[in-house]
Amino acid sequence: GKMAAAERGGSPSLSAGEEEPPLGLDLLVEEAAAAPSAGFRLTAVRREPAVKLQHGVSGLEPLAWSEDHRVSVSTARSIAVLEQLSDVHSGGQEMVIHRTAVPAPSAACFLKVGPKKEVAECKEKFASSADPTVSQTFMLDRVFNPEGKSLPPLRGFKYSSWSPLGCDANGRCLLAALTMDNRLTIHANLNRLQWVQLVDLTEIYGERLYEASYRLSKADTPRGELGDFSEFQRRHSMQTPVRMEWSGICTTQQVKHNNECRDVGSVLLAVLFENGNIAVWQFQLPFLGKESITSCNTIESGINAPSVLSWWEYEHNNRKMSGLIVGSDFGPVKILPVNLKAVKGYFTLRQPVVLWQEMDQLPVHSIKCIPLYHPYQKCSCSLVVAARGPYVFWCLLLISKAGLNVHNSHVTGLHSLPIVSLTADKQNGTVYTCSSDGKVRQLIPIFTDVALKFEHQLIKLSEVFGSVRTHGIAVSPCGAYLAIITTEGMTNGLHPVNKNYQVQFVTLKTFEEAAAQLLESSVQNLFRQVDLTDLVRWKILKDKHIPQFLQEALDKKIESCGSTYFWRFKLFLLRILYQSMQKAPSEVMWRPSHEDAKILISDSLGMGSTEEDQEEGTSKQASKQSLCDTGKGMDIDDTADDSLPQSSDIGGREPMEEKLLEIQAQIEAVEMHLTREHMKRVLGEVYLHTWITENTSIPTRGVCDFLMSDDGYDDRTARVLIGHILKKMNKQTFPEHCSLCKEILPFTDRKQAVCSNGHIWLRCFLTYQSCQSLVYRRCLLHDSIARHPTPEDPEWIKRLLQGPCTFCDSPVF
C-alpha cells in the first residue's frame, strides 16, 4: 500500500505502491528497521540552475508546484512561472527550465459595495469624519484604500493556487491568482509563452452581491445603509478573499436535447473571505472563461478571523466524501460540509467536525490534506497537517463502522522560529516544513495500531547553499525535488545589504529511488513524472551509460507486460544516452551557417528528416546535422581530438561511432514499435466508427499497407484487424491528394508524405493524416506534430486528436 515505506521503519527511500524494496535497497531498509533514525539518510544535493527573481517575493506561501511541473512564485510585480522540462534534445546536465510570467494588473481593484456615486460620497464622509476611530480606521485600511494616497501603493500577489491537471483547453493546469489589493483572477497558458486572464471572479462576485442587495439568502434581514461605517465594513469583508483552493476534478451529468445524459468534468474553486464566508464556484471543463461558470454557492463557516483553507476529499467504500478544512488566526481548525449539487457520487458530513477547538492564539497558516492507506485498519484515511506557529498540528481522519474517528496531536521541537512554509509529498505522505533561518524538516508519518507518529530529520540548507534565509518551499509532484526561495543569510554576524531572491532546487530522492518509482508507476505517463525522469536524465548524462540494473528491470517489464509505457521509457533512456555520447559542438549553435543551409536540407531529407528540421530553420538543422554527423571522431570521455581519422579511413569505423550508430538503430526500432502500436489503435477506432464506404480523414489504406509492408513484422492482431478493415472497404482506396498539385500522396514514411512532384507534408502523429495547412500543433518537447481538429471531424477523431505525444507523453499545443 501507499504507506509501505513508513511501516518499514520510516525509510523515505521507497516509493508509493511498492510491496518489497526493489533494486538492492533491502540492506538500507533492514538497517532502518533496526534503528529508525538510521533509515533516513536523506542527502539533499544541489541541482543547478538557481533561478534569480527580478522582484522580491510577496504574500504567504509564495511558492507552489503544479501537477504539470510548473513552479509559481508570487512576487511584488508578477507571478514568475518556471516550467520544468525533461528535454531529450539537450545534452546539458542542468535542469531545463522554461520561464514565463503573469503580470500584476496595472489598475487598483476597488470592491463593489454600492453605486459608484454613493460610494464616493461615503468615502469622502468617512475620511473627514470628526470621530478619529472612523477616519483613521478608514484611511489606514488597505481594503478601502488600495491605492493608498499617503500610503505606498499595494503591489504584487498575496497567494496563487494551481488547479488539478486537465482543466484548461490543453488539458493542463489553471492558475488562480490573488493580488495584494484583493483581485481574484484565473489564468491559463495556452501557447507556451503568454498567460491569458480568463475571468475576474472578484468583479463577478461583486456584481452578484450587488444584485442581491448584499444579502446571502432571501430570508436575511435587510442591513443598514452604506453610510453606516459598520455596513461599509461588512460589505467589504464579505468579498475580501483570504485564500482560494481547487478541488479535485469531479463528474457531473448533463442532459442533452435528445434526453441523453453525458458526463461532464467539472472542478470547484473554494474562496475564503475575511468574514468567514466561503464561495464555492463550480466550473465546467475545459475552463474557457465566464461561460464555463456553472454555479456559485456561499457557505457561512462561522469562523472568526479565518486564515487558510484546504479541501478534504476522502473515498470510503467507493463513496466520495468532501468538505472544506478551515483554519483561523486564533487557532481553531474545523471541517465544513459542502453539498455539491449535480455532482455524481459525492457525499458530505452532516455537521461541521472540529479538529482543534482551543482559542490558543497560535495562527494556522498552512493546511495540507493527504490521502493515505492505513496498513493496520486496512482502509483509506486522511492525514491533515497544519502549521501553527513553530509546531505542526496533525489530525488523522478515518471512517469506521462507528463513524468518523479523529486522532490529533502536535509535533513540537521542530523549529525555534515560526514555520513560514509547509509542503507535502502526496504520494507517500512525507511533510516538509521550513522556518526563515534556512532549516527544513522532513517528517515521515509512521502508522501505529491506533493513530500515527512522525519520524523527523533536519535538512540544513547551509550545508548545501551556505548561509541563507528561506521564504518558501514546495515539493515536486512525485517528490523528487524541493524548490526553495532563498536570500543571502548573515555573514560574520551581519545582515546582507541587498537581498537577491532566487529559487533553488535540491534533490530529495536518489537516482535508484527515482528509477524504481518510474518502473512501478501507477500513472504510466512520462510527462506526469518529469521530476523523476529529470533525475534519471541527470545520472545518464553524468555517467554516459544506462545502469545495468535499470536496463534489465526495464527489459523484464517489457517482456512481461504489454504496456507501451515501458517502451516509451526505453526510448527516453536511449535518447538521453545518445545525447550523452555527443561531443559538445565546437562552433556556436545559434550562429547561422549560410553556406551549409542548402546542402543540409537535402541531406536531412535523405535521412528521413524530423519535424523540427522543417520548422525551426537552419540553426536547428545545423545542430541536428552535427548530432547525426557521425563522421567526426568522438570518444566517451570527451578527450577526442577533432583531427581523428575520418570514417573513410581504411581502418573502418571507430568504436565510438559504432556505438552511436547502434544506439540510433535501437532508437529507430523503438520508435517504429510505438508507431505500429498507435497505428493499431487508430485502425481499431476506424473499424469501430466508420460505415462501409465513408471516407474519414484517416489514410486507412495507407496505414494498412504500411503495417503489412515489413515482412519482419508479424503481429496476428494487426493482421486480423487489417483483414476486417479491407473487407469493409472492399476495393475503395480514398487516397490523400497533395493540395498544391493534386497528385496522390503515397504512405511510405510514418513522419512525412512526399508526392511525386517533390512536395513534402508532415504527418499528424495522432491520425497519420498529412498536415496540409500552415497551422498545426506540436508536442511540448517538439517530438512530433498534430493537426487541429476541424468542425466536421466526428467525435472519435476529435478524441484521438486530444491524445498526448506517442513518444514522450507530453501534451500537444
Side-chain angles (χ1 to χ4, degrees):
K2 281 214 172 144
M3 284 308 298
E7 283 171 78
R8 288 191 211 91
S11 160
S13 53
L14 298 162
S15 55
E18 285 165 17
E19 286 315 312
E20 73 238 40
L23 325 169
L25 294 175
D26 322 68
L27 226 159
L28 183 75
V29 173
E30 279 162 25
E31 287 176 33
S37 52
F40 284 122
R41 301 241 186 93
L42 173 70
T43 45
V45 181
R46 182 180 190 151
R47 183 81 169 94
E48 295 297 338
V51 181
K52 280 203 163 54
L53 297 171
Q54 287 147 330
H55 305 286
V57 298
S58 63
L60 291 163
E61 294 282 339
L63 201 57
W65 204 319
S66 75
E67 282 176 28
D68 61 358
H69 306 281
R70 295 187 283 196
V71 179
S72 64
V73 192
S74 307
T75 75
R77 294 287 182 278
S78 64
I79 293 179
V81 181
L82 316 174
E83 179 169 5
Q84 184 191 3
L85 300 176
S86 192
D87 196 352
V88 286
H89 306 304
S90 90
Q93 287 188 23
E94 290 198 334
M95 258 178 163
V96 181
I97 289 175
H98 179 246
R99 187 169 175 165
T100 48
V102 182
S106 49
C109 169
F110 290 95
L111 300 175
K112 188 170 179 68
V113 290
K116 264 194 179 151
K117 191 172 169 223
E118 195 184 332
V119 172
E121 286 167 5
C122 290
K123 283 189 169 181
E124 190 65 37
K125 176 180 141 191
F126 299 140
S128 55
S129 166
D131 182 355
T133 55
V134 174
S135 60
Q136 293 202 7
T137 309
F138 173 78
M139 293 304 285
L140 293 175
D141 193 313
R142 300 315 303 264
V143 179
F144 308 148
N145 295 303
E147 280 179 343
K149 299 293 185 278
S150 55
L151 303 166
L154 271 183
R155 298 291 295 272
F157 287 86
K158 198 189 287 188
Y159 189 65
S160 68
S161 172
W162 289 101
S163 78
L165 199 59
C167 291
D168 77 357
N170 292 323
R172 299 191 70 185
C173 301
L174 296 163
L175 182 63
L178 177 59
T179 60
M180 282 292 195
D181 58 4
N182 303 306
R183 190 192 300 269
L184 174 58
T185 49
I186 296 178
H187 302 259
N189 168 220
L190 299 171
N191 62 2
R192 290 296 307 277
L193 295 174
Q194 177 193 11
W195 285 86
V196 183
Q197 180 181 309
L198 298 178
V199 68
D200 180 338
L201 291 179
T202 297
E203 191 186 341
I204 297 171
Y205 195 67
E207 284 295 333
R208 288 186 172 214
L209 285 175
Y210 178 67
E211 282 160 21
S213 319
Y214 299 91
R215 290 186 297 179
L216 291 177
S217 64
K218 296 277 187 289
D220 259 8
T221 51
R223 301 294 172 101
E225 293 299 308
L226 189 58
D228 299 343
F229 192 52
S230 58
E231 174 65 7
F232 185 79
Q233 283 175 308
R234 185 187 80 91
R235 289 188 190 182
H236 275 94
S237 79
M238 71 192 294
Q239 51 181 318
T240 304
V242 180
R243 291 274 178 107
M244 63 286 170
E245 295 295 343
W246 297 89
S247 72
I249 290 178
C250 39
T251 318
T252 51
Q253 276 194 336
Q254 199 181 47
V255 182
K256 288 163 47 178
H257 295 305
N258 56 3
N259 277 348
E260 262 182 50
C261 273
R262 76 179 183 125
D263 283 353
V264 179
S266 67
V267 70
L268 305 162
L269 180 69
V271 185
L272 176 65
F273 294 106
E274 221 173 54
N275 68 347
N277 288 351
I278 299 170
V280 180
W281 296 87
Q282 185 176 6
F283 305 126
Q284 191 175 320
L285 299 180
F287 183 78
L288 305 169
K290 209 169 178 175
E291 67 275 16
S292 304
I293 298 174
T294 326
S295 66
C296 175
N297 296 312
T298 305
I299 306 168
E300 296 186 51
S301 75
I303 281 192
N304 292 328
S307 57
V308 58
L309 88 162
S310 174
W311 280 93
W312 175 62
E313 290 172 318
Y314 183 92
E315 209 159 318
H316 173 66
N317 293 347
N318 297 329
R319 287 162 61 111
K320 289 191 180 114
M321 306 282 288
S322 73
L324 281 165
I325 310 167
V326 184
S328 154
D329 275 335
F330 299 138
V333 181
K334 66 178 179 180
I335 302 184
L336 303 173
V338 178
N339 282 313
L340 304 179
K341 293 183 189 132
V343 177
K344 259 190 354 193
Y346 268 79
F347 299 85
T348 191
L349 304 161
R350 289 200 188 91
Q351 68 257 5
V353 175
V354 177
L355 305 184
W356 184 253
Q357 62 181 14
E358 302 298 321
M359 297 281 270
D360 49 19
Q361 307 300 318
L362 279 180
V364 184
H365 121 108
S366 180
I367 296 180
K368 295 280 180 280
C369 181
I370 309 157
L372 295 174
Y373 179 77
H374 200 304
Y376 301 117
Q377 306 283 340
K378 304 271 184 289
C379 67
S380 54
C381 58
S382 293
L383 172 62
V384 176
V385 285
R388 299 180 70 240
Y391 312 124
V392 170
F393 165 75
W394 65 265
C395 183
L396 189 68
L397 298 160
L398 194 128
I399 294 177
S400 66
K401 290 186 176 69
L404 181 68
N405 297 336
V406 179
H407 298 275
N408 65 16
S409 182
H410 282 79
V411 186
T412 58
L414 296 172
H415 296 278
S416 51
L417 291 171
I419 292 168
V420 290
S421 190
L422 173 140
T423 179
D425 177 353
K426 287 278 169 74
Q427 295 197 322
N428 58 12
T430 308
V431 177
Y432 298 88
T433 60
C434 91
S435 52
S436 60
D437 55 3
K439 293 194 173 76
V440 174
R441 284 272 178 185
Q442 180 196 41
L443 290 91
I444 295 172
I446 294 162
F447 283 98
T448 58
D449 291 346
V450 190
L452 49 77
K453 59 179 184 179
F454 283 94
E455 284 283 351
H456 54 84
Q457 72 158 335
L458 181 65
I459 307 169
K460 272 193 184 162
L461 295 179
S462 55
E463 290 169 8
V464 187
F465 304 122
S467 168
V468 287
R469 285 180 73 91
T470 36
H471 304 270
I473 54 173
V475 69
S476 65
C478 301
Y481 289 117
L482 189 69
I484 307 148
I485 302 176
T486 62
T487 50
E488 296 84 349
M490 290 174 77
T491 44
N492 304 330
L494 295 172
H495 288 286
V497 182
N498 296 320
K499 271 189 183 177
N500 293 304
Y501 287 90
Q502 2 187 16
V503 179
Q504 313 237 32
F505 297 93
V506 294
T507 62
L508 296 174
K509 286 190 157 71
T510 62
F511 160 73
E512 288 76 14
E513 288 158 19
Q517 207 170 326
L518 283 164
L519 285 170
E520 298 303 323
S521 160
S522 56
V523 188
Q524 303 232 331
N525 178 305
L526 292 173
F527 170 70
R528 290 184 60 178
Q529 306 176 84
V530 162
D531 49 339
L532 296 173
T533 58
D534 186 71
L535 270 181
V536 171
R537 171 178 164 270
W538 188 27
K539 170 83 170 170
I540 294 173
L541 287 173
K542 273 196 301 198
D543 297 358
K544 300 190 188 302
H545 75 95
I546 301 169
Q548 191 63 37
F549 80 84
L550 178 54
Q551 247 171 340
E552 285 168 7
L554 189 55
D555 289 341
K556 200 179 280 178
K557 286 276 185 195
I558 284 175
E559 274 168 44
S560 65
C561 160
S563 165
T564 53
Y565 163 72
F566 297 109
W567 285 90
R568 291 194 295 277
F569 189 17
K570 185 176 182 174
L571 176 63
F572 170 78
L573 295 176
L574 287 169
R575 285 165 154 186
I576 300 300
L577 182 62
Y578 188 77
Q579 286 299 335
S580 72
M581 301 282 181
Q582 300 297 342
K583 211 173 56 160
S586 48
E587 59 179 281
V588 185
M589 295 286 250
W590 50 261
R591 190 171 292 145
S593 45
H594 298 291
E595 62 283 5
D596 300 347
K598 297 184 180 96
I599 315 160
L600 283 173
I601 289 175
S602 60
D603 277 10
S604 65
L605 295 181
M607 288 168 7
S609 85
T610 51
E611 296 82 5
E612 292 96 314
D613 300 352
Q614 320 282 306
E615 197 183 283
E616 297 278 302
T618 317
S619 60
K620 196 88 178 243
Q621 279 161 7
S623 67
K624 272 267 149 65
Q625 194 62 16
S626 68
L627 299 187
C628 305
D629 187 350
T630 43
K632 293 206 179 78
M634 293 176 194
D635 202 285
I636 295 189
D637 56 3
D638 277 356
T639 50
D641 186 56
D642 280 344
S643 57
L644 282 175
Q646 294 289 316
S647 55
S648 53
D649 286 16
I650 302 120
R653 288 204 161 89
E654 300 150 34
M656 184 60 195
E657 211 172 294
E658 290 287 352
K659 190 91 195 274
L660 275 171
L661 285 172
E662 187 190 323
I663 297 170
Q664 221 174 344
Q666 283 178 296
I667 290 175
E668 276 296 306
V670 177
E671 281 190 359
M672 196 52 150
H673 174 84
L674 287 167
T675 302
R676 285 174 174 150
E677 288 301 304
H678 185 65
M679 280 180 169
K680 277 172 17 190
R681 196 183 141 219
V682 172
L683 289 177
E685 291 281 334
V686 169
Y687 181 67
L688 284 177
H689 290 101
T690 54
W691 305 116
I692 315 297
T693 55
E694 178 193 4
N695 177 17
T696 72
S697 59
I698 288 175
T700 311
R701 173 78 66 165
V703 173
C704 292
D705 293 348
F706 181 81
L707 272 178
M708 301 313 281
S709 61
D710 183 0
D711 301 332
Y713 177 64
D714 185 36
D715 184 329
R716 192 164 171 276
T717 332
R719 273 212 317 274
V720 171
L721 182 62
I722 287 169
H724 283 316
I725 284 175
L726 294 182
K727 199 186 285 175
K728 219 181 191 188
M729 284 179 76
N730 208 345
K731 293 204 169 54
Q732 288 164 306
T733 53
F734 303 123
E736 282 190 290
H737 293 277
C738 171
S739 63
L740 291 178
C741 64
K742 303 290 176 275
E743 287 294 318
I744 284 181
L745 286 173
F747 198 114
T748 49
D749 182 351
R750 60 200 166 90
K751 287 190 167 183
Q752 59 182 24
V754 186
C755 81
S756 52
N757 290 332
H759 297 130
I760 301 168
W761 305 104
L762 300 175
R763 287 200 179 280
C764 161
F765 72 99
L766 291 169
T767 62
Y768 298 107
Q769 186 194 8
S770 56
C771 291
Q772 299 193 37
S773 65
L774 289 174
V775 287
Y776 47 74
R777 304 174 303 146
R778 300 181 71 165
C779 82
L780 191 67
L781 297 184
H782 291 181
D783 238 349
S784 38
I785 69 159
R787 68 183 184 82
H788 284 279
T790 59
E792 52 272 14
D793 281 337
E795 277 298 311
W796 63 274
I797 285 190
K798 284 181 181 158
R799 206 169 51 244
L800 265 179
L801 286 169
Q802 279 170 356
C805 174
T806 49
F807 300 127
C808 66
D809 283 335
S810 66
V812 186
F813 292 88

